[in-house]
Amino acid sequence: MARILITGITGQDGSYLAESHLASGDEVDGLVRQSSLLQRTRLDSVPALVKARSTGRLKLHYADLSDTSSLVSVLRNVKPETVYHLAGQSHVKISFDLPEYTADSTGLGTLRLLESMRHVVPDARLFLAATSEIFGEAKESPQNEKTPMNPINPYAAAKVYALNLVRIYRKAYGVFACAGILFNHESPRRGENYVTRKIARGAARIARGREKELHLGALTPKRDWSYAVDIVDGIRRIASAPKPDDFVLASGLPHSVGEFCEAAFRVVGLDYGKHVVLDPEYVRLVDITETCGDASRARNELGWAPKTGFLELVRIMVDAELADLDAHGDPA
Ligand code: NAP
Ligand code: F7E
């Protein structure tokens, strides 16, 4: 039985990772931050997580990435063997509205955690959720662990800093610090302002007569989308590898936003062309044209491969939205 600490446990990946470790018999602790509402949808709606909280196998601790003393205090209390660092402001477009907060939570937050761990739990393993955004408009395709970093937004710049810190601490202090260079991964637990969840939700609501239109910024950008459950499996493999290193986790099969729309509306028997409206509100100052990851290193060294294909992912997401609407309705 291992003792696991997750920053960002209330997020998409954190909730799946907690479920996965609990299913393996581990004890899970998670950082949560103060907010005016106590409801944490992703934790409160998953039966296995609700049960684990009631039996004490899953514990939540108040801390914030901007408050080093809170990180030190949780590390002292929990004494984790592995820390998964998933927390931070991770919306690309919003990082232009909140550049300093993004740098502080995503960039400096990683520094605070690494320093705190070095002093309090020097033998613990740290996993960082890095991102394909570090490659920006990449010079080569597909992108692998050696592709040069070329960030084009404040979020990506903060993640470059965080990934460089992981590499520096690994080399300078010999700590077990590793990273996943994660390409886009989605699920019914994805935040509602990311494009796949927005499309799945829009298609379901239009199909049920709740709305008529779906407003998007662009249809042409292509992303290498995987299912978050598959990526979380890869994250666990990276964190439990014999040696600390960085690995790309990706499907290697990019699809456009328009293709996602077409597939999602097809699930509900509709033509997306009749409902999707291009809206300047969602257009980015700069955007990556296409991402495409090469996960052969993770496949060869960790035995990892994604199991869920693009069309299956779209169906999982749209079906979840339909089931939710049918079960609970929606006052809006
Ligand atoms: P997410 O759903 O947006 O979750 C982000 C988590 O970070 C939430 O638990 C959030 O807490 C927490 N958080 C934000 N700021 C914080 C702060 N100042 N102090 C403490 N906690 C804070 O993200 P995700 O999709 O699960 O992604 C997990 C990680 O992987 C992120 O680091 C992201 O950048 C990275 N990543 C994700 C993808 C992807 O496609 N999903 C791809 C590449 C990399 P609240 O619930 O309180 O807001
Ligand atoms: O956008 C386009 C948008 O916000 C995908 C984060 O997890 O993955 C994610 O970042 C694409 C972009 O994800 C809308 O311009 C069009 O080209 O779902 P997204 P992202 O920006 O790729 C990376 C790997 C991360 O690390 C990030 O943390 O879709 N797009 N119209 C739109 N995007 C949004 N959100 N909303 C639209 O209306």
Side-chain angles (χ1 to χ4, degrees):
M1 189 181 73
R3 185 148 211 121
I4 303 301
L5 178 66
I6 302 175
T7 80
I9 194 166
T10 55
Q12 170 186 258
D13 295 1
S15 60
Y16 283 119
L17 192 57
E19 250 187 300
S20 169
H21 270 289
L22 287 165
S24 302
D26 299 326
E27 302 251 320
V28 177
D29 291 79
L31 297 192
V32 290
R33 52 186 178 156
Q34 158 61 8
S35 73
S36 63
L37 286 175
L38 273 187
Q39 201 192 12
R40 299 181 181 107
T41 318
R42 294 178 181 108
L43 302 185
D44 298 341
S45 61
V46 179
L49 299 181
V50 174
K51 185 170 173 219
R53 281 189 71 193
S54 72
T55 57
R57 287 188 58 220
L58 168 59
K59 296 194 193 76
L60 303 180
H61 309 263
Y62 279 106
D64 199 288
L65 293 171
S66 62
D67 183 341
T68 307
S69 67
S70 71
L71 300 175
V72 167
S73 167
V74 173
L75 290 170
R76 276 206 187 114
N77 284 338
V78 174
K79 296 187 185 61
E81 286 144 54
T82 301
V83 177
Y84 291 99
H85 179 36
L86 312 178
Q89 195 305 98
S90 62
H91 197 286
V92 169
K93 187 166 191 291
I94 295 172
S95 77
F96 282 100
D97 301 322
L98 301 172
E100 194 174 332
Y101 171 69
T102 302
D104 192 76
S105 62
T106 300
L108 280 176
T110 304
L111 177 67
R112 294 183 189 110
L113 185 61
L114 278 163
E115 270 297 290
S116 305
M117 285 183 65
R118 187 166 75 80
H119 292 293
V120 182
V121 284
D123 296 330
R125 294 178 170 216
L126 174 92
F127 170 88
L128 168 75
T131 168
S132 53
E133 284 286 320
I134 61 172
F135 302 126
E137 197 71 353
K139 298 275 182 289
E140 61 187 27
S141 187
Q143 295 92 51
N144 62 33
E145 294 79 5
K146 295 204 166 90
T147 301
M149 297 193 228
N150 180 31
I152 62 166
N153 57 65
Y155 163 73
K159 284 287 189 185
V160 167
Y161 178 61
L163 178 57
N164 279 330
L165 284 173
V166 160
R167 291 176 174 173
I168 290 164
Y169 273 60
R170 187 161 70 213
K171 193 155 186 210
Y173 298 114
V175 296
F176 193 112
C178 60
I181 302 171
L182 312 178
F183 284 61
N184 297 53
H185 48 281
E186 320 293 316
S187 75
R189 297 186 201 170
R190 185 59 141 149
E192 286 169 7
N193 57 355
Y194 294 88
V195 81
T196 57
R197 178 83 192 278
K198 205 172 150 181
I199 296 166
R201 193 163 181 267
R205 290 176 67 79
I206 290 167
R208 290 291 184 263
R210 302 293 181 106
E211 275 161 26
K212 289 195 165 49
E213 292 179 345
L214 170 64
H215 288 232
L216 296 176
L219 296 176
T220 51
K222 289 188 169 181
R223 289 292 181 274
D224 180 327
W225 279 300
S226 297
Y227 185 29
V229 172
D230 292 338
I231 295 291
V232 161
D233 169 49
I235 288 174
R236 285 194 62 174
R237 289 171 193 252
I238 295 171
S240 59
K243 282 193 312 193
D245 213 331
D246 311 324
F247 293 87
V248 162
L249 297 180
S251 74
L253 297 168
H255 293 274
S256 70
V257 174
E259 285 173 86
F260 200 104
C261 289
E262 191 184 3
F265 279 78
R266 203 182 315 123
V267 171
V268 292
L270 294 174
D271 173 0
Y272 82 98
K274 295 187 175 146
H275 300 281
V276 170
V277 176
L278 290 179
D279 185 336
E281 186 181 338
Y282 303 107
V283 174
R284 299 193 175 177
L285 294 171
V286 286
D287 200 9
I288 298 172
T289 314
E290 174 176 320
T291 63
C292 179
D294 172 6
S296 34
R297 185 147 177 237
R299 189 173 55 245
N300 296 336
E301 293 182 28
L302 307 173
W304 178 82
K307 297 187 181 85
T308 314
F310 175 73
L311 292 178
E312 195 184 345
L313 169 63
V314 176
R315 179 170 282 284
I316 288 169
M317 292 183 71
V318 177
D319 282 350
E321 297 297 334
L322 291 169
D324 191 51
L325 274 178
D326 294 345
H328 306 295
D330 184 335

